[in-house]
Amino acid sequence: MSELKADYKEACGRLQTANLIKNEQLSATRHQKYKRCMAMAWWCDAEQYAYPSFGTGSPKEKWWQKWHNRWLKLTEKFKEVK
């Protein structure tokens, strides 16, 4: 009976360790995705201003603005909760 209790305690300890590792990995992945989405949003914003017809509402300008907004919206899903 005491062996069973010892095995149970060891299994609980391993489970807690596994959960901590999983949470750390999920946090790192979310941070990576957040940074990637921010980089893409920045890139789309820079491309929007790369055309000489800036401010005229050209189709390319609208297209880059649309994608910039989409990437920013995605960042909200991966923002860290503090």
Side-chain angles (χ1 to χ4, degrees), residues 27 30-31 34 76 78-82:
S27 177
R30 289 180 66 81
H31 181 71
Y34 173 78
E76 296 299 318
F78 302 115
K79 194 175 273 190
E80 293 181 18
V81 178
K82 292 186 178 186

Side-chain angles (χ1 to χ4, degrees), residues 47-62 64:
E47 286 295 316
Q48 174 186 351
Y49 296 111
Y51 297 101
S53 62
F54 172 71
T56 60
S58 68
K60 283 186 178 181
E61 184 181 341
K62 289 178 183 178
W64 286 112

